């Protein structure tokens, strides 16, 4: 039994300890709430191909899941279809094209997961398939080796044994290009000698018959894009290749030339892009930079002028233009205004002599850069320009495309 005095002492000690504990709790810093980490849209997918390996690598940035698939050959060229569901896989020197199926399908207000990612059933066997275009549910491939087009609808992509059909317009073999008009016709390049650079554009129907003949000749046409009514082709404006401009071809057969800016020199805008959301055409060449092509004003004006831009891409939605320069700096431009939104270093410097340089693509939230030297794809937060993730994809990734959907909405 505790004596009365001992009981009082014990009670006092308990009271002091309780007070000390309460004081200690009061002085503790409140636990920090976890910060909201910016994540990619749930249904965006990346696909890479490798310089030496036959593997294709699929990345789901939302979950950070990485999976690989057996392709037929290395260095496959990759293109997303306009529907977002598929990616075309072109093996130019092996006369083969395949299609990769993300398993995702858009229902406008939500995305359905139909099945796991897989190879689609359809193939194409044109000679030297090189350029790919997609509009609505139709995909086209220009076959440099014989001047034909390969054509298929997405409804046939998973039909067992399906093949792209051939559209033969009687073109000679050349490094050509085509554009799809909303009315169902195609603008296609042509040449006067097999293997020579194309110098004219004609409009054909789906069966290959000429609908509108060429009315203007250029020199060495390369690069094109369309808004469905106008097709824009880059090229030189004379056979001597001393000046350049863009050929604008309308679906009604009208053709006109917009010359490069004064003092541009002996260069052509060899890559042409159409930014869907901004409804703008952009021309790019590494030796001169990126330029806005104004069809209404018939003029070409600089967005970024410099001889060090080795990657120039429109983001997935077609709102912004991203330019990556040899010093490792990324620039993001708002295509609605042409204004520079942000710039900063995101990777180490790149040698101009490198055969395979880093490859850039972007969504509204992130830029993705495939780095052949490290075998990784770096995910760059476009608000902070910090690296938010690194994905080890293969030994030397040299091709990259984004497909899927900028959406988090499930069924």
């Amino acid at each position: 039994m505790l004596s009365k005095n001992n009981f009082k002492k014990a009670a006092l000690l308990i009271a002091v300890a309780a007070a000390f504990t309460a004081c200690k709790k009061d002085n503790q810093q409140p636990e920090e709430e976890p910060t909201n980490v910016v994540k990619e849209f749930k249904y965006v997918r990346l696909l890479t191909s490798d310089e030496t390996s036959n593997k294709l690598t699929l990345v789901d940035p939302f979950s950070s899941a990485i999976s690989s698939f057996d392709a037929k050959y290395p260095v496959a060229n990759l293109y997303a279809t306009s529907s977002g569901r598929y990616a075309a896989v072109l093996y130019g020197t092996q006369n083969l094209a395949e299609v990769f199926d993300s398993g995702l399908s858009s229902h406008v207000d939500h995305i359905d997961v139909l099945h796991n990612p897989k190879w689609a059933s359809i193939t194409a066997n044109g000679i030297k398939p090189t350029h790919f275009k997609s509009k609505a549910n139709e995909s086209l491939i220009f076959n440099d080796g014989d001047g034909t087009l390969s054509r298929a609808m997405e409804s046939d992509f998973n039909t067992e044994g399906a093949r792209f059909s051939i559209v033969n317009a009687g073109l000679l073999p050349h490094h050509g290009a085509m554009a799809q008009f909303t009315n169902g016709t195609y603008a296609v390049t042509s040449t006067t000698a097999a293997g020579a650079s194309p110098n004219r554009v004609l409009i054909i129907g789906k069966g290959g018959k000429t609908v509108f003949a060429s009315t203007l000749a250029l020199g060495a046409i390369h690069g094109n894009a369309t808004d469905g009514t106008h097709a824009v082709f880059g090229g030189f404006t004379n056979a001597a290749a001393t000046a350049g401009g863009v050929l604008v071809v309308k679906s009604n057969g009208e053709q006109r030339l917009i010359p490069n800016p004064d003092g541009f020199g002996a260069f052509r805008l060899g890559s042409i892009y159409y930014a869907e959301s901004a409804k703008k055409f952009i021309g790019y060449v590494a030796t001169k930079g990126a330029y806005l092509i104004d069809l209404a004003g018939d003029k070409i004006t600089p967005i970024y002028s410099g001889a060090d831009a080795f990657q120039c891409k429109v983001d997935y939605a077609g709102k912004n233009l991203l330019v990556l320069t040899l010093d490792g700096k990324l620039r993001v431009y708002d295509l609605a205004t042409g204004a520079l939104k942000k710039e900063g270093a995101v990777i180490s410097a790149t040698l101009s002599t490198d055969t395979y340089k880093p490859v850039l693509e972007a969504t509204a939230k992130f830029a993705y850069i495939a780095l052949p030297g490290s075998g990784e794809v770096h995910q760059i937060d476009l608000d902070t320009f910090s690296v938010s993730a690194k994905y080890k994809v293969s030994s030397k990734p040299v091709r990259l495309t984004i497909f899927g959907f900028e959406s988090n909405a499930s069924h």
Side-chain angles (χ1 to χ4, degrees):
M1 291 288 293
L2 286 172
S3 68
K4 189 173 183 180
N5 286 340
N6 287 340
F7 180 81
K8 286 181 178 179
K9 287 179 182 179
L12 180 62
L13 287 171
I14 292 171
V16 169
F20 178 76
T21 301
C23 182
K24 185 177 179 182
K25 285 182 179 179
D26 289 342
N27 288 334
Q28 282 182 332
Q29 294 295 321
E31 291 186 11
E32 292 186 8
E33 292 292 326
T35 56
N36 290 324
V37 177
V38 177
K39 297 195 75 172
E40 183 57 275
F41 292 102
K42 186 176 181 179
Y43 297 110
V44 163
R45 300 292 184 265
L46 313 178
L47 196 65
T48 69
S49 66
D50 193 83
E51 180 188 357
T52 58
S53 168
N54 290 355
K55 297 290 185 183
L56 288 191
T57 303
L58 181 72
V59 179
D60 175 351
F62 182 83
S63 68
S64 298
I66 300 173
S67 49
S68 64
F69 298 82
D70 290 326
K72 296 293 190 300
Y73 306 98
V75 201
N77 288 319
L78 307 173
Y79 304 91
T81 63
S82 63
S83 73
R85 175 173 172 175
Y86 299 96
V89 182
L90 273 58
Y91 315 100
T93 58
Q94 289 85 20
N95 303 331
L96 176 66
E98 296 183 295
V99 174
F100 189 84
D101 185 353
S102 69
L104 306 175
S105 178
S106 173
H107 289 260
V108 184
D109 62 337
H110 71 276
I111 308 301
D112 281 347
V113 180
L114 303 179
H115 52 70
N116 292 330
K118 65 175 186 176
W119 287 104
S121 299
I122 198 165
T123 58
N125 296 97
I127 302 174
K128 201 175 180 182
T130 304
H131 283 134
F132 175 87
K133 296 291 181 182
S134 174
K135 192 171 186 63
N137 291 316
E138 181 189 65
S139 291
L140 285 182
I141 301 168
F142 194 95
N143 301 307
D144 286 4
D146 61 6
T148 64
L149 304 179
S150 295
R151 174 183 179 268
M153 303 299 292
E154 290 193 5
S155 55
D156 295 324
F157 279 7
N158 280 304
T159 299
E160 192 65 35
R163 292 183 179 245
F164 279 64
S165 62
I166 295 295
V167 179
N168 192 337
L171 305 174
L172 293 174
H174 68 281
H175 184 49
M178 68 288 168
Q180 296 150 289
F181 290 124
T182 304
N183 66 9
T185 61
Y186 312 134
V188 295
T189 56
S190 67
T191 184
T192 55
S197 295
N199 66 333
R200 287 185 178 272
V201 174
L202 63 149
I203 298 177
I204 64 172
K206 293 187 185 301
K209 184 179 178 180
T210 298
V211 178
F212 295 107
S214 166
T215 61
L216 283 176
L218 267 71
I221 294 171
H222 192 278
N224 75 298
T226 182
D227 62 2
T229 301
H230 307 85
V232 178
F233 295 79
F236 291 108
T237 52
N238 55 44
T242 57
V246 298
L247 176 66
V248 182
V249 180
K250 291 186 68 174
S251 57
N252 64 3
E254 294 177 9
Q255 301 191 8
R256 72 182 192 274
L257 179 73
I258 303 177
N260 287 340
D262 290 342
F264 197 83
F267 301 97
R268 67 178 177 184
L269 296 171
S271 296
I272 309 292
Y273 307 112
Y274 180 66
E276 186 70 39
S277 293
K279 301 190 182 308
K280 301 284 180 69
F281 284 95
I282 298 97
Y284 160 73
V285 59
T287 47
K288 297 293 287 187
Y291 292 77
L292 180 66
I293 301 169
D294 179 3
L295 298 191
D298 272 350
K299 60 183 179 180
I300 298 173
T301 54
I303 300 172
Y304 173 80
S305 55
D308 59 347
F310 72 94
Q311 284 281 282
C312 173
K313 296 293 179 67
V314 175
D315 70 5
Y316 196 52
K319 293 182 178 180
N320 301 299
L321 185 74
L322 292 88
V323 176
L324 186 60
T325 48
L326 292 171
D327 58 1
K329 184 179 286 188
L330 179 66
R331 293 169 177 84
V332 182
Y333 296 88
D334 183 345
L335 286 173
T337 64
L340 177 65
K341 295 173 65 174
K342 193 175 182 65
E343 64 178 319
V346 293
I347 60 172
S348 57
T350 298
L351 294 175
S352 62
T353 54
D354 285 350
T355 301
Y356 291 109
K357 298 177 179 63
V359 184
L360 169 71
E361 295 291 346
T363 64
K365 296 180 180 182
F366 298 96
Y368 295 91
I369 304 175
L371 300 167
S374 67
E376 297 173 327
V377 173
H378 286 194
Q379 181 176 331
I380 312 296
D381 189 312
L382 289 177
D383 284 331
T384 65
F385 271 28
S386 60
V387 178
S388 61
K390 296 180 181 180
Y391 305 104
K392 178 64 177 177
V393 290
S394 62
S395 58
K396 291 184 177 180
V398 292
R399 300 287 187 266
L400 168 68
T401 195
I402 292 175
F403 64 137
F405 307 93
E406 290 186 315
S407 172
N408 293 324
S410 303
H411 180 64

